[in-house]
Every structure is written in structure tokens, then in C-alpha cells.
Amino acid sequence: MRHFINTQDWAVEELQALLDEAAGLKSRPLQPLLQGRTVALLFLNPSLRTRASFQIGAAQLGATAIVLEPGNGVWGIEFDSGKVMDGKAEEHIVEVAEVLSRYCDLIAMRAFPGFKNWQYDREDPLIKALARYSRVPVINMETIIHPCQELALVMTLQERLGRLKGKKLCLTWTWNPQPLSTAVANSVTMIATKYGMNVSLLCPSPDYVLDERFMKVAHENAASSGGRLAVTHEISEGYADADVVYANSWGSLPYYGDPEKEWELSRAYGRFIVDERKMAMTNNAVLSHCLPVRRNVEATDGVLDAPGCVAIDEAENRLHVQKALMLRLLGVAGR
Ligand code: CP
């Protein structure tokens, strides 16, 4: 049984086969290939795109998707083993996974990191616990990484740029009033290097460099794909000759769990906003963002509304890649 928890567990040829399948589904969206199948979508955190695209994608394939929000009409879940469950959680992931496996063909989960202890969160324990006890394939709908977003990003860039190897992607940190997860930054760095891109990780200071675990994976990806990964704190260096600018806000790991100190650190870096002046330094780059985006904080209206912005295409492609993924995990051939 195969799960989709981290794209690093999948060969680039396998990921590309998913993307090829997704392109077919994009041109022929309504095919009842999963008639009678059921998908459980466990959301521990809010969502617009992920929730809508999985529900609609399942419906377009003839499957039924149910949304479950633990703590909101559904019992709260304990994920740690051996815990004395005298707190808020009413049931354990052991029973949740076993029961849902009797009802459903797939279980997908979104479980953001807890913003208290990075040493705990960096092991991605919640999705691993679900996968351990599930009898059906598990899909990661964002934890400390966002693999479905990775698929949509690659599909979108291939649509616009063709072959990605050797193209420069500037992953730029942007300010946000909330310290956010590093999930999308981790994912963009891993998938772009896996596809042989030249990644410039632009962030204000060493405090914003990603966890060494993901940096190491990205360097290994680059070594085997012929790509590159370099960190810069110079805006002009990051943007220079970029073919792709990816804007994302993430928190500083040394300040993890301390939002007040993080605020003091980050408030000086509003200049990292993506704007017309910075985009003019690029090789006529496309701009993307996973969304939701704070307009005129992370990126200006001007660049978000420009023809080179592909964020909406990337959001659309979430639908197609996830349909291909559900078919693949259930062993159903498309087209
Ligand atoms: N990009 C993304 O996952 O969007 P949502 O948080 O709205 O699902």
C-alpha cells in the first residue's frame, strides 16, 4: 500500500506520471472512475483550496468525500502513543484510523505544526501516526510540508515554461503579521531541486533559513538532478535573472513558539514585499504563491494582477493533480 506523505518518497518519473495523468483529467474532468469510493478528509486546520479541490475532485470522479474537523463537531484526537488521555482529546488516532479505514478507501489529513516545539513538529508525528494505523492510503494535505501544492506548482510551471531543468526559481520570504509555517517553503525547495531547478532561497537573515533537514534533502536533490540551491539575503541577487518568483511567508525557526519576539525580528523586513521594481530584475519571471495571499503586504496588487502571475493557475491545478493522485493510490487507470 502506497501513501502520499512526502514527494521525496516518490521518484521523479512517478511524479511526472501523475502530472501527465493530471493533464488528461484537466482536458476531460468528468470521468466516473471512482464510482462508489469514499474519501475521508480530516482537517485539523482551516482551508479553502485544499478542502474545495478534494471534495470537488472526488465528486468529478464519482466518489464521495466527507470532511471531518476534529474539535468541531468531531471528537478531538490524541496522536501520541502511550498517553494518559485525561486532556481535551476524546479519542486516539489508533481508533480513528482503524474506523475510517473500514468506511473509506482513502484518508487525507491536514495537520499544521503546533508552533510550540519544533523538535517535536519537525518529525511530522501526526501524519506518521495516521499512516501507521491506517489500512488505506493516506494523503498529506499539509503538515510541515505540502506535497499536493508541490505537484500543482510543477504542473503550472511546466505549462508556462516547459522543461524546468536549469531554470532559476527565486523563493522569496515575505513579511506577514503572523509567523507562519515553513511547510510551503520546505516543499518548494525540495520539489524545485528535484526537478533540476536553480533555487535561490532569499530571506532576510540566517534566522529564516529552513530546517537543516530540508536543506540537506534539497542539496541532495540538486546533486542528483543537476540543479542548485543557494541562500541569499540580498534582494537583487535573489531576483536577478529569475524565471520564477515564488512568494511565501514563513516564521523563523530559532523563534519558534515565541510570536512576540518573532514580530520584533520580522517587522523590519517589510521591504521583502514582491513588487514591480523587484520583478523587473528578473528574466520576465512568472510569479506564484500557494494562496491565501495578503495583498499589498506579501505582494502588490500590480504584480498579483499582472499576466505573469500564475497563482490562480496553480490553485486550479490542485484539483487536477489531486484527482490523478487519488486514482493512482487506488490503482485505477485514468483516461
Ligand atoms: N494553498 C492551500 O493549501 O490553500 P488552503 O490553505 O486554502 O487549502
Side-chain angles (χ1 to χ4, degrees):
M1 183 175 69
R2 198 84 188 267
H3 300 303
F4 188 72
I5 292 177
N6 187 338
T7 53
Q8 284 301 123
D9 302 332
W10 292 60
V12 76
E13 295 77 18
E14 293 178 303
L15 297 176
Q16 194 55 47
L18 282 176
L19 298 177
D20 294 344
E21 180 74 31
L25 291 162
K26 189 168 184 170
S27 59
R28 249 186 88 207
L30 301 181
Q31 301 183 59
L33 296 163
L34 295 182
Q35 196 73 49
R37 304 295 190 101
T38 49
V39 184
L41 305 174
L42 275 169
F43 279 98
L44 278 65
N45 311 95
S47 162
L48 185 150
R49 279 143 290 271
T50 307
R51 180 171 173 158
S53 57
F54 265 106
Q55 282 193 288
I56 291 164
Q60 289 181 349
L61 293 171
T64 300
I66 55 160
V67 169
L68 301 167
E69 298 176 298
N72 182 19
V74 174
W75 304 116
I77 304 172
E78 174 60 58
F79 288 85
D80 289 340
S81 298
K83 200 80 181 264
V84 177
M85 287 177 52
D86 56 0
K88 273 195 188 154
E90 295 284 348
E91 68 177 326
H92 201 275
I93 191 64
V94 174
E95 284 77 28
V96 174
E98 293 270 8
V99 170
L100 290 178
S101 297
R102 301 279 179 103
Y103 300 154
C104 301
D105 300 286
L106 286 169
I107 305 175
M109 185 170 76
R110 165 167 285 195
F112 289 173
F115 292 100
K116 289 195 177 105
N117 178 356
W118 178 243
Q119 291 313 311
Y120 175 83
D121 290 335
R122 80 191 287 272
E123 301 304 327
D124 223 352
L126 277 52
I127 195 93
K128 283 182 184 163
L130 171 60
R132 189 176 315 128
Y133 300 114
S134 176
R135 311 284 171 150
V136 299
V138 166
I139 297 175
N140 183 345
M141 297 195 295
E142 190 176 344
T143 55
I144 56 167
I145 49 178
H146 199 348
C148 294
Q149 195 75 45
E150 294 178 43
L151 294 178
L153 168 62
V154 174
M155 183 172 183
T156 307
L157 295 185
Q158 288 179 339
E159 286 172 344
R160 285 285 182 131
L161 305 176
R163 193 169 146 81
L164 301 185
K165 191 171 162 61
K167 299 270 186 346
K168 177 174 173 181
L169 181 147
C170 169
L171 170 59
T172 179
W173 179 92
T174 52
W175 185 77
N176 197 297
Q178 301 283 339
L180 298 179
S181 162
T182 51
V184 170
N186 294 334
S187 273
V188 170
T189 308
M190 288 195 294
I191 198 68
T193 50
K194 196 169 176 108
Y195 269 81
M197 297 187 83
N198 168 12
V199 177
S200 183
L201 175 55
L202 170 62
C203 56
S205 76
D207 284 329
Y208 287 94
V209 174
L210 303 173
D211 188 277
E212 170 268 323
R213 169 183 166 190
F214 297 104
M215 296 299 286
K216 183 168 177 284
V217 166
H219 279 297
E220 287 166 0
N221 283 349
S224 56
S225 68
R228 263 177 37 212
L229 172 64
V231 175
T232 181
H233 307 307
E234 294 298 327
I235 288 174
S236 57
E237 191 179 326
Y239 278 81
D241 299 321
D243 301 293
V244 181
V245 173
Y246 205 91
N248 189 233
S249 300
W250 67 87
S252 161
L253 292 176
Y255 292 81
Y256 196 79
D258 196 341
E260 285 81 22
K261 280 210 177 123
E262 159 89 40
W263 166 267
E264 286 304 318
L265 175 75
S266 69
R267 62 200 289 231
Y269 298 132
R271 67 179 184 279
F272 278 77
I273 185 172
V274 182
D275 57 20
E276 292 85 340
R277 189 183 61 80
K278 297 187 189 77
M279 290 301 291
M281 298 177 202
T282 68
N283 181 28
N284 197 23
V286 296
L287 167 66
S288 202
H289 189 289
C290 64
L291 306 179
V293 63
R294 288 181 184 260
R295 281 179 171 253
N296 304 310
V297 172
E298 295 182 70
T300 61
D301 284 338
V303 297
L304 289 170
D305 295 333
C309 181
V310 296
I312 304 298
D313 292 339
E314 186 175 321
E316 180 196 330
N317 286 337
R318 290 286 306 277
L319 175 66
H320 310 304
V321 297
Q322 289 160 192
K323 287 167 70 179
L325 178 61
M326 289 190 277
L327 290 175
R328 169 70 180 79
L329 292 175
L330 292 176
V332 179
R335 284 182 288 158

